[in-house]
Amino acid sequence: MRHLLLIFFSLLPGALSCSSSVIPKVFHGTWDKNDDACRAQHSDMRLNIRPSAVEYWESSGTLIEMVESNNRSLTARFTFSGEGESWERNMTYFVLNEGNTLVQALDDGSKVSRIRCTVQ
């Protein structure tokens, strides 16, 4: 019995950390199609990623749960709102080029690439 309790308590911290869903820090920041778009006041390709939310040009999403993540990719479920509507959607992102390129995989199999904005 004592052995089972040790196993249970050794697994507990991992289980608790899974419940506190946050987007990994490597994804945080402002992303856009190129340096000129990063410098512009507005861009329809701009994406801001924070610890628990994503913001696009006409919509924003609040993190519901992380489905899968590591230091290079993530799939997460968000509740979105924009233009008077709301919906839920899984989003998949990859970081490449030492964290300077973000690729978003779309439902139709296509991909959208953005660079990390260092100057805004």
Side-chain angles (χ1 to χ4, degrees):
M1 178 69 169
R2 183 176 180 196
H3 184 38
L4 289 175
L5 287 174
L6 288 174
I7 292 171
F8 172 77
F9 284 112
S10 68
L11 294 175
L12 189 58
L16 292 176
S17 67
C18 289
S19 66
S20 62
S21 294
V22 296
I23 298 169
K25 193 169 186 160
V26 69
F27 295 92
H28 298 181
T30 301
W31 305 85
D32 215 323
K33 62 183 169 185
N34 56 40
D35 286 330
D36 289 338
C38 287
R39 284 189 284 277
Q41 185 175 0
H42 302 289
S43 170
D44 59 358
M45 285 287 294
R46 186 155 303 152
L47 168 60
N48 292 303
I49 300 179
R50 297 189 321 261
S52 61
V54 294
E55 296 175 346
Y56 289 89
W57 173 253
E58 296 177 333
S59 63
S60 60
T62 302
L63 180 65
I64 297 172
E65 68 175 328
M66 295 298 294
V67 176
E68 181 179 334
S69 72
N70 59 46
N71 62 351
R72 298 175 94 164
S73 68
L74 76 85
T75 299
R77 185 139 193 90
F78 292 88
T79 180
F80 281 92
S81 63
E83 298 185 350
E85 296 188 32
S86 60
W87 63 96
E88 287 187 11
R89 183 172 179 200
N90 281 356
M91 304 298 287
T92 301
Y93 303 102
F94 302 91
V95 288
L96 307 170
N97 301 326
E98 298 178 17
N100 293 312
T101 302
L102 180 82
V103 177
Q104 179 180 350
L106 302 176
D107 294 339
D108 65 3
S110 63
K111 295 177 177 77
V112 175
S113 293
R114 295 175 173 89
I115 64 164
R116 182 182 298 279
C117 294
T118 56
V119 179
Q120 297 178 33

